[in-house]
């Protein structure tokens, strides 16, 4: 019996040794094994957070007095809100909210100071973008807390006017007619379902494209195509077209389920939605081609594709608001095409946003799509040549 165990160990150890040698000979695999966990830890440590900070806010200051500027300054000094604009025109708020530049708005009325000097409670109006119901509810709490703190600080800032401000209790309150745009009932599915469309499109087209091409290379059918009369670009187009069509079918299925099962309102244009989906497909299919050109086995292609997908999803704002991340991660997220696609989907579904309102996101999607599909196609054609 001991001899049998020794014999098994003698056969197993060389096999393990051979696998280690093979792993350490593949430099790209070593990079993924040892570098990827470090990079993922750094990114996830900052990106995966449920804390809500730096909510983009536009302020409509209709009074433009010393007191209103002091209020704006006190909001600017907090980490809860990020001021993206100050205007005196109420109609400007809609432009900021539709384009996604602002997720909240505060309206300071023209009689803000006069009301306080009459020893009345001034009424401000707060407007929240309800398409992200979780952020909107937390931001309302932040704003109410800031207003209370501002009222207390008035007595310190303006001691000569203590006779006006000392009697305000509560000092200032948010308007009772607080408005929540796009999702007044804070339905969480309104926020999640449009994002799920983006996730499904990214998952299915990137992984399927990469794995299917590598699988054909493994079984040898890709070499058979290479000796056929077909041009290399025709082979590539034939490979990615079915996955592009399947991507549109999946989008349609999720849209029907979202509209008729989850009762998600569709306030925008279907042609615009399919147009931005086409731009996103250029990116995911291009990434799939790129992954297939740098990997040799299906396992490797799955590993690398998953590596890309983790970053694409975490940086997209699907789970965690991008505004909560540190500045360097927010800048890095500008390279994520899924961030722009999900912003387009939520804008079209919930806000009824049109081409002009989404022009920055559509421009970024088109740029990344053309760049990635062109680079990946050239690399794929060079590989099969």
């Amino acid at each position: 019996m001991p001899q049998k165990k020794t014999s098994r160990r003698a056969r197993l150890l060389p096999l393990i040794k051979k696998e280690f040698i093979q792993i350490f000979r593949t430099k790209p695999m070593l990079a993924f094994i040892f570098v990827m966990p470090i990079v993922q830890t750094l990114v996830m440590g900052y990106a995966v957070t449920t804390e809500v900070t730096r909510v983009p806010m536009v302020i409509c200051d209709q009074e433009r007095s010393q007191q209103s500027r002091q209020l704006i300054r006190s909001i600017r000094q907090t980490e809860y809100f990020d001021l993206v604009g100050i205007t005196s025109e109420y109609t400007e708020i809609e432009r900021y909210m539709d384009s996604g530049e602002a997720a909240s708005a505060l309206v300071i009325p023209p009689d803000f100071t006069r009301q306080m000097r009459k020893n009345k409670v001034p009424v401000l109006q707060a407007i929240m973008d309800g398409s992200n119901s979780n952020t909107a509810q937390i931001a309302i709490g932040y704003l109410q807390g800031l207003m209370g703190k501002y009222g207390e600080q008035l007595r310190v800032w303006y001691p000569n006017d203590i006779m006006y401000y000392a009697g305000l209790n509560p000092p200032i309150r948010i308007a009772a007619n607080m408005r929540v745009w796009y999702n007044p009932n804070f339905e969480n599915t309104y926020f999640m379902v449009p994002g799920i469309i983006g996730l499904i499109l990214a998952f299915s087209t990137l992984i399927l494209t990469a794995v299917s091409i590598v699988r054909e290379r493994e079984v040898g059918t890709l070499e058979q195509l290479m000796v056929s009369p077909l041009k290399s670009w025709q082979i590539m187009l034939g490979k990615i077209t079915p996955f592009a069509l399947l991507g549109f079918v999946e989008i349609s299925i999720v849209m029907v389920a979202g509209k008729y099962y989850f009762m998600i309102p569709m306030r925008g244009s279907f042609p615009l939605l399919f147009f931005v989906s086409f731009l996103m497909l250029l990116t995911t299919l291009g990434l799939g081609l790129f992954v297939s050109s740098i990997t040799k086995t299906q396992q490797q292609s799955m590993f690398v594709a998953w590596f890309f997908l983790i970053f694409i999803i975490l940086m997209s704002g699907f789970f965690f608001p991008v505004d909560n991340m540190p500045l360097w991660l927010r800048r890095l997220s500008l390279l994520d095409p899924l961030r722009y696609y999900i912003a387009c989907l939520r804008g079209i579904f919930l806000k009824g946003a049109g081409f002009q309102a989404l022009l920055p996101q559509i421009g970024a999607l088109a740029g990344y799509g053309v760049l990635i599909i062109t680079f990946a196609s050239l690399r794929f054609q060079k590989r099969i040549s």
Side-chain angles (χ1 to χ4, degrees), residues 188-258:
N188 192 47
T189 51
Y190 286 18
F191 175 71
M192 297 300 291
V193 171
I196 289 172
I197 295 177
L199 251 63
I200 290 175
L201 191 68
F203 262 104
S204 58
T205 52
L206 199 162
I207 290 181
L208 286 177
T209 305
V211 172
S212 68
I213 293 175
V214 173
R215 180 173 55 81
E216 288 216 33
R217 191 183 297 129
E218 284 182 322
V219 299
T221 53
L222 190 61
E223 282 72 13
Q224 293 175 4
L225 287 174
M226 289 161 56
V227 297
S228 69
L230 289 171
K231 304 284 187 186
S232 58
W233 67 268
Q234 290 174 321
I235 296 174
M236 182 198 70
L237 196 61
K239 290 293 173 191
I240 64 175
T241 299
F243 299 114
L245 295 176
L246 286 173
F248 279 115
V249 171
E250 289 178 341
I251 292 170
S252 303
I253 292 172
V254 180
M255 278 199 304
V256 170

Side-chain angles (χ1 to χ4, degrees), residues 54-60 72 75-76 80-86 96-97 101-107 126-128 139 143 146-147:
R54 292 186 289 273
V55 179
M57 169 181 275
V58 57
I59 291 182
C60 178
I72 294 170
I75 293 174
R76 195 194 298 273
Y80 303 130
F81 295 96
D82 186 13
L83 288 190
V84 295
I86 299 174
Y96 275 97
M97 300 285 272
E101 289 182 66
S104 61
L106 184 69
V107 182
I127 301 171
M128 295 291 160
L143 203 51
L146 282 174
M147 293 303 104

Side-chain angles (χ1 to χ4, degrees), residues 101-351:
E101 289 182 66
S104 61
L106 184 69
V107 182
I108 303 174
D111 59 348
F112 177 62
T113 305
R114 192 166 61 249
Q115 290 293 318
M116 288 192 290
R117 288 181 180 275
K118 288 181 179 178
N119 205 14
K120 294 182 179 178
V121 177
V123 178
L124 284 71
Q125 185 183 42
I127 301 171
M128 295 291 160
D129 180 356
S131 59
N132 187 336
S133 56
N134 182 54
T135 299
Q137 292 182 69
I138 294 174
I140 288 172
Y142 287 160
L143 203 51
Q144 288 172 332
L146 282 174
M147 293 303 104
K149 189 176 179 182
Y150 171 75
E152 294 172 0
Q153 289 176 329
L154 278 174
R155 302 164 192 173
V156 178
W157 291 331
Y158 305 102
N160 295 331
D161 294 338
I162 191 71
M163 59 179 293
Y164 303 122
Y165 304 129
L168 296 178
N169 189 21
I172 301 176
R173 65 178 173 85
I174 304 297
N177 61 341
M178 182 179 292
R179 299 181 61 187
V180 179
W181 288 4
Y182 315 124
N183 182 12
N185 295 325
F186 295 112
E187 296 286 348
N188 192 47
T189 51
Y190 286 18
F191 175 71
M192 297 300 291
V193 171
I196 289 172
I197 295 177
L199 251 63
I200 290 175
L201 191 68
F203 262 104
S204 58
T205 52
L206 199 162
I207 290 181
L208 286 177
T209 305
V211 172
S212 68
I213 293 175
V214 173
R215 180 173 55 81
E216 288 216 33
R217 191 183 297 129
E218 284 182 322
V219 299
T221 53
L222 190 61
E223 282 72 13
Q224 293 175 4
L225 287 174
M226 289 161 56
V227 297
S228 69
L230 289 171
K231 304 284 187 186
S232 58
W233 67 268
Q234 290 174 321
I235 296 174
M236 182 198 70
L237 196 61
K239 290 293 173 191
I240 64 175
T241 299
F243 299 114
L245 295 176
L246 286 173
F248 279 115
V249 171
E250 289 178 341
I251 292 170
S252 303
I253 292 172
V254 180
M255 278 199 304
V256 170
K259 183 171 178 57
Y260 294 103
Y261 184 78
F262 293 104
M263 307 304 288
I264 307 292
M266 176 58 183
R267 301 188 175 108
S269 161
F270 277 109
L272 181 59
L273 189 146
F274 279 103
F275 175 66
V276 296
S277 300
F278 168 74
L279 296 178
M280 183 64 194
L281 274 172
L282 293 180
T283 301
T284 54
L285 293 173
L287 283 174
L289 276 178
F290 174 73
V291 171
S292 71
S293 68
I294 62 172
T295 54
K296 296 178 180 177
T297 65
Q298 294 181 64
Q299 289 83 359
Q300 287 181 5
S301 63
M302 283 287 292
F303 194 60
V304 177
W306 182 242
F307 173 78
F308 280 111
L309 282 171
I310 284 179
F311 289 102
I312 288 174
I313 293 168
L314 284 179
M315 309 294 285
S316 67
F318 174 70
F319 289 113
F320 311 102
V322 175
D323 296 315
N324 292 0
M325 301 176 189
L327 181 61
W328 66 275
L329 269 184
R330 277 182 275 155
R331 287 177 177 169
L332 191 63
S333 73
L334 295 175
L335 301 174
D336 185 353
L338 188 59
R339 169 183 175 171
Y340 305 105
Y341 183 52
I342 289 180
C344 288
L345 290 174
R346 287 172 177 158
I348 294 170
F349 265 98
L350 303 178
K351 302 178 183 178

